[in-house]
Amino acid sequence: MAEKKWMPRWFYQLASPRWCYQITGKLLPGFAVAALLLLAGGSIWALMFAPADYQQGNSFRIIYLHVPSAILAQSAYMLMAVAGAIGLIWKMKVADMVLKSAAPIGASMAVLALATGAIWGKPTWGSWWVWDARLTSMLILFFLYLGVMALNSAIENESTAAQASAVLSLVGVVNIPIIKYSVEWWNTLHQPATFKLTEKPAMPAEMWVPLLVMVIGFYCLFAVSLMMRLRNEIIWRERRTGWVRELLIKQ
Amino acid sequence: MTMQTNSEDLQRQSLSGLFWATCRREYLLSFRRKSDLVNPLIFFLMVATLFPLGVSPEPGFLAQLAPGVVWVAALLSTLLSMDALFRSDYEDGSLEQLLLSPQPLFLVVLAKVLAHWSVTGLALTVMAPLLGLMLFLPAEGMPGLMLSLLLGTPTLSLVGAIGAALTVGLRKGGVLISLLVLPLYIPVLIFGSSAVQAAVTGLPLGGYLALLGALLALALGLAPLAISAALRISMSS
C-alpha cells in the first residue's frame, strides 16, 4: 500500500475490525466531550439567552431540538446507504457493521423529530398532526428505517443480513427524492398549504447561532453513539478471534 | 473446457428467445395453479367491499373515496401476490439454476416480473371498472382509473419483486415484504389516485400519466438490477 500515500494510513485501517475498534476507542472520548460541551452550551444558550419569537413566544424554542434531529435523521440514512454501498462493493465487514449500527440511531432521530414537531404543532397549529409534506416525508423516512431494521433482524446469517439491508437502503436512497417530491406535490394538490414551514422569516443571528451549535452537537452525539454501537458490534462479531479474547482477559 | 463450449452454445441463443422462454415457463406454471391466479383478484374485490360496510354506503361519499380506495386495494393485492413470485422457484431449486445459468439475470428477472404482472396487475386493471361501479366512481373517471393502473401496477410489481427477492429465503417473508415495500409504493399511489381524481373533475391527466410512466421507466431500468443482486444475496446463505 506504499503507493497510496495520498490516503492517510488510519483511513484504510478502518476496514479492519480490530484497528477500527482501536481507532474509535481513541476518538470516542474527544467526541463525547465535544458533544457534551456543545449540547450543554447550546441548550443553555438556546433556552435562556436566545430571544423569544415575537409571534410564537417561547414555544418556538423546541426547534433547537427539532431541526437538529430532523437533519440527523436524514444524514444517518445517507450514511447508512453509503456504508451499504461500500459493504456491497468491497465486502468490508466494518461497513456492514456501520450500516447496522446507524439504523436504530437514525430511526430514533426520526422519532424525536416527529415527536418534537407534534409537541410544537399542538400550541401553534392547534393539532398534534397535520398532513403537511414535510411531516409526511419524515414519517415515511421513519418507515424506511423500520424496514431496514426489520430485514436486518429477520435474517439470521450476519453477512447475508448486512448485504440484504445494504440493497434495501440503496433502493431507499433512490426513492427518497421521489417520495419527497411526490409528497410535496400531493400536498399542494389536496389542500392548500395552510401552514408553511419552508418559508421561515429570516432568523436573526442570536437565534440561528445557537441552532448551529446544537446541530454540530447533535452530529457529535451521533458520532459518539454510532462509535459505541459499532464497537459493541465489532466485539460481538469478532468474539471468536484471538484479539477479542485477549481484550476480555485483560479486563 | 466443456463448460466453455456449453456457455458459448447457450449464448448463441438470442436474448429475446431467453426472454420469451422465461415468460412461457411462468405462464405455464401459473395457469397450472389457477387458484393462485384468482386469489389476488378476489382479495381486490373483497377489500373494496369492506369500505362501504366500514365507512358509509352513501353514494356521494363513496364516489369521493373511490379513486383512493381502488388504488389502495390494487396496491395491497399486488403486494399480496408478490410473496409467491420467487417462492416456489426457491423451494424446488430452479431459482438456483437460474442464478447459475450464463444468461444475463437482468433479463430473466425482467421476464419473470412482467409475466407475473400480466396475470396480476393487468387483470386488476381490467377488473377495476367493476370496483369503480361498486363505489359509484363517475363514468368520466374510468379511463383515468384504467390508464393509471395500467402504468402504475408494473412499477408496483417491479418494486415489490425487490422485497420478494430480499425475503425469499425467509420462512416468515409475507409480513416483512409489506414492511419493506409499502413505503416505496407511496409515490405510485399518490400519482395514481391523483390521476383518477383529475379525470373525475375533468382536469387534464397527461401530467400524472407522464409521471407514472417516468416512474415505470426508472423501475424498468433499475429494479431488475436490485432484484438480481437481492436474489444472489438471498441464495448465498
Side-chain angles (χ1 to χ4, degrees):
Chain A
M1 284 302 215
E3 72 274 16
K4 284 203 171 179
K5 279 207 174 111
W6 49 271
M7 207 188 246
R9 189 154 159 262
W10 60 266
F11 188 77
Y12 54 82
Q13 277 179 344
L14 279 177
S16 135
R18 184 182 181 175
W19 283 102
C20 183
Y21 185 82
Q22 288 176 356
I23 292 169
T24 49
K26 279 177 201 151
L27 291 177
L28 198 52
F31 274 98
V33 170
L36 196 70
L37 286 180
L38 285 167
L39 287 179
S43 318
I44 292 168
W45 190 354
L47 295 182
M48 298 176 68
F49 299 106
D53 188 74
Y54 76 100
Q55 237 177 352
Q56 300 172 19
N58 281 324
S59 74
F60 98 100
R61 288 182 203 274
I62 202 162
I63 67 158
Y64 292 113
L65 274 182
H66 178 74
V67 172
S69 55
I71 292 176
L72 251 294
Q74 291 168 1
S75 311
Y77 201 94
M78 289 299 145
L79 176 80
M80 211 168 76
V82 170
I86 293 174
L88 275 183
I89 298 167
W90 288 289
K91 310 263 182 251
M92 263 186 215
K93 269 200 249 168
V94 173
D96 292 349
M97 297 180 204
V98 168
L99 185 145
K100 192 182 171 189
S101 322
I105 310 175
S108 44
M109 286 295 166
V111 169
L112 186 62
L114 287 170
T116 49
I119 293 166
W120 177 80
K122 186 63 183 164
T124 318
W125 295 342
S127 70
W128 296 104
W129 182 260
V130 170
W131 286 99
D132 170 78
R134 289 188 149 203
L135 276 71
T136 314
S137 39
M138 185 54 79
L139 186 66
I140 298 168
L141 183 68
F142 176 56
F143 290 157
L144 288 174
Y145 274 121
L146 289 186
V148 173
M149 282 158 69
L151 185 65
N152 216 324
S153 63
I155 304 177
E156 280 181 19
N157 182 311
E158 278 164 353
S159 73
T160 315
Q163 288 179 12
S165 12
V167 169
L168 186 65
S169 51
L170 285 175
V171 171
V173 145
V174 174
N175 264 277
I176 279 176
I178 302 175
I179 292 174
K180 200 170 161 49
Y181 282 105
S182 63
V183 169
E184 264 169 32
W185 287 333
W186 156 77
N187 191 44
T188 49
L189 282 171
H190 284 234
Q191 57 181 66
T194 334
F195 311 107
K196 199 112 185 162
L197 274 176
T198 34
E199 281 139 36
K200 290 181 221 173
M203 273 191 194
E206 303 90 73
M207 278 180 176
W208 67 256
V209 173
L211 184 60
L212 189 67
V213 172
M214 288 298 278
V215 171
I216 300 169
F218 260 72
Y219 269 104
C220 289
L221 179 68
F222 174 72
V224 169
S225 64
L226 181 69
M227 281 194 270
M228 285 170 78
R229 278 183 165 273
L230 184 63
R231 282 161 65 83
N232 258 339
E233 191 67 29
I234 290 174
I235 292 280
W236 177 249
R237 283 207 203 170
E238 304 283 299
R239 61 190 180 276
R240 290 190 189 89
T241 59
W243 69 270
V244 174
R245 290 207 176 139
E246 273 170 37
L247 198 81
L248 289 178
I249 289 164
K250 252 188 259 169
Q251 281 177 349
Chain B
M1 283 327 275
T2 49
M3 217 180 125
Q4 185 68 33
T5 50
N6 199 7
S7 76
E8 276 172 7
D9 271 353
L10 285 171
Q11 272 176 358
R12 256 175 245 143
Q13 292 179 358
S14 69
L15 292 176
S16 65
L18 168 71
F19 188 86
W20 293 118
T22 315
C23 282
R24 187 167 168 273
R25 174 173 175 275
E26 288 299 306
Y27 284 130
L28 266 178
L29 282 175
S30 49
F31 279 99
R32 280 179 190 162
R33 272 176 306 179
K34 293 205 175 58
S35 68
D36 282 10
L37 279 181
V38 187
N39 284 349
L41 299 177
I42 299 174
F43 179 81
F44 188 43
L45 198 63
M46 282 184 175
V47 169
T49 316
L50 293 180
F51 277 86
L53 296 172
V55 187
S56 147
E58 203 254 312
F61 187 63
L62 280 178
Q64 251 186 340
L65 226 57
V69 170
V70 178
W71 253 98
V72 170
L75 191 149
L76 290 178
S77 47
T78 311
L79 191 63
L80 201 71
S81 69
M82 250 27 255
D83 191 37
L85 179 58
F86 299 114
R87 176 90 40 202
S88 66
D89 283 357
Y90 175 75
E91 278 162 1
D92 65 14
S94 44
L95 189 60
E96 208 159 358
Q97 301 304 317
L98 281 180
L99 295 193
L100 287 173
S101 76
Q103 278 88 6
L105 191 55
F106 187 98
L107 219 61
V108 177
V109 159
L110 193 64
K112 271 183 82 72
V113 175
L114 288 183
H116 183 264
W117 167 76
S118 64
V119 294
T120 55
L122 194 61
L124 292 176
T125 308
V126 175
M127 216 177 123
L130 177 65
L131 270 80
L133 276 178
M134 281 168 66
L135 297 171
F136 305 102
L137 184 76
E140 305 85 67
M142 293 297 179
L145 182 65
M146 290 190 77
L147 280 174
S148 64
L149 281 172
L150 191 67
L151 281 171
T153 46
T155 316
L156 297 183
S157 289
L158 282 163
V159 174
I162 302 176
L166 283 171
T167 54
V168 70
L170 304 171
R171 254 174 252 112
K172 44 179 180 177
V175 189
L176 194 60
I177 285 194
S178 28
L179 219 64
L180 305 185
V181 164
L182 276 180
L184 306 174
Y185 275 180
I186 286 167
V188 182
L189 174 69
I190 288 175
F191 295 132
S193 57
S194 308
V196 186
Q197 258 161 11
V200 170
T201 46
L203 293 169
L205 55 147
Y208 299 111
L209 296 181
L211 280 167
L212 284 172
L215 288 181
L216 177 58
L218 194 68
L220 272 176
L222 294 181
L225 291 176
I227 298 167
S228 334
L231 282 177
R232 285 192 198 285
I233 291 165
S234 291
M235 294 301 291
S236 68
S237 61

